[in-house]
Amino acid sequence: MVLAVGLLASRGVTVAAVILAATAESARADVEGQPRVRRSGDAAWSGGAIPIVVVVPDPEGRVAAALAGAPVTLAEPASFEGGPAAQVARGMDVAAAEVHETEAAIVWPARYVWISPETITSLIEAHGVIANRSLVLRPAFDGTAGWPAVLPVAHRERLDAIAADRMPDDILADLVASGVASGMLDVGDPGAAYDASTPRANLPPYVGPAKPASGHAHEWGAAIADEPDDAPIPGPAIARLSDD
């Protein structure tokens, strides 16, 4: 199913972003002068996702340092024996604990570094206006389903039954096989289909909206904009497994 979302005004919804990286090195990989997760956190915040949770092992605190001043929560991963599905579940649990009204999570593999904020806003708006609010929604570019994907919290418990060897695309396929409805939203954003292995210069042209239909935009760093220039930059909130 391909959805067409126009200028309808969605009711207020709370959709989190769950950014997933397998290692601290991949989370901190450079993308045009920024760590991957910092760049993704920027796009998620600008696009209207809240809360924003980054799930990654960070034994030396380097990811936390890269996220200093960012309005995100850095979550200690679940046991890796559970595989990627367990990490998705972990991020959703942390998001729901932070904001109880969270309806869905935008599940975001960190290697998708070219996603525009407008795509995040479009996904949130689409989730807010579709009749079936339990739909798993993926962005599409030129007919190809991509990432990040909107996963309603109603399906959180289904993740516990997914095998540990299932990768992100497999996880969504397994959810659909279990009876979960899915759809695609054509966003015109090549970043939805091309990950960090493709340099920005080699991406197809962006053909999405010039700005979100709602006109929504957070200003990155707005939460600390009023701090004095010499004030220490706060680190991200930390969610450890022992805190749960």
Side-chain angles (χ1 to χ4, degrees):
M1 180 196 326
V2 178
L3 304 181
V5 177
L7 299 180
L8 294 175
S10 62
R11 75 170 179 83
V13 294
T14 301
V15 177
V18 173
I19 301 168
L20 306 164
T23 66
E25 289 72 23
S26 65
R28 295 174 59 247
D30 181 81
V31 182
E32 299 183 339
Q34 283 186 306
R36 281 184 182 177
V37 292
R38 183 79 189 221
R39 184 184 185 89
S40 297
D42 186 338
W45 176 255
S46 296
I50 188 172
I52 301 167
V53 179
V54 177
V55 183
V56 60
D58 188 30
E60 298 179 354
R62 294 183 179 180
V63 178
L67 292 171
V72 306
T73 295
L74 179 59
E76 183 179 1
S79 169
F80 283 102
E81 293 180 358
Q87 308 315 323
V88 175
R90 168 66 174 155
M92 293 181 75
D93 289 345
V94 171
E98 284 199 8
V99 180
H100 298 303
E101 295 80 11
T102 300
E103 293 189 12
I106 296 176
V107 179
W108 192 327
R111 69 182 185 276
Y112 285 87
V113 299
W114 306 123
I115 298 293
S116 73
E118 289 79 8
T119 291
I120 301 306
T121 303
S122 294
L123 289 169
I124 294 171
E125 290 183 338
H127 174 75
V129 300
I130 56 178
N132 182 2
R133 302 293 285 279
S134 66
L135 191 79
V136 172
L137 184 61
R138 300 186 71 169
F141 178 78
D142 197 21
T144 299
W147 291 92
V150 178
L151 180 58
V153 297
H155 305 311
R156 158 62 186 87
E157 293 185 1
R158 292 177 184 260
L159 294 171
D160 296 334
I162 293 178
D165 63 348
R166 305 296 279 169
M167 294 296 105
D169 283 298
D170 303 321
I171 291 170
L172 296 190
D174 289 353
L175 288 172
V176 171
S178 73
V180 173
S182 67
M184 295 194 305
L185 178 69
D186 190 353
V187 294
D189 180 1
Y194 293 84
D195 63 16
S197 64
T198 301
R200 181 197 285 275
N202 294 344
L203 293 175
Y206 179 86
V207 293
K211 61 182 179 179
S214 67
H216 172 88
H218 282 312
E219 182 179 353
W220 178 248
I224 59 172
D226 295 331
E227 294 291 333
D229 291 342
D230 59 351
I233 299 176
I238 306 292
R240 303 193 186 281
L241 287 172
S242 58
D243 296 334
D244 299 347

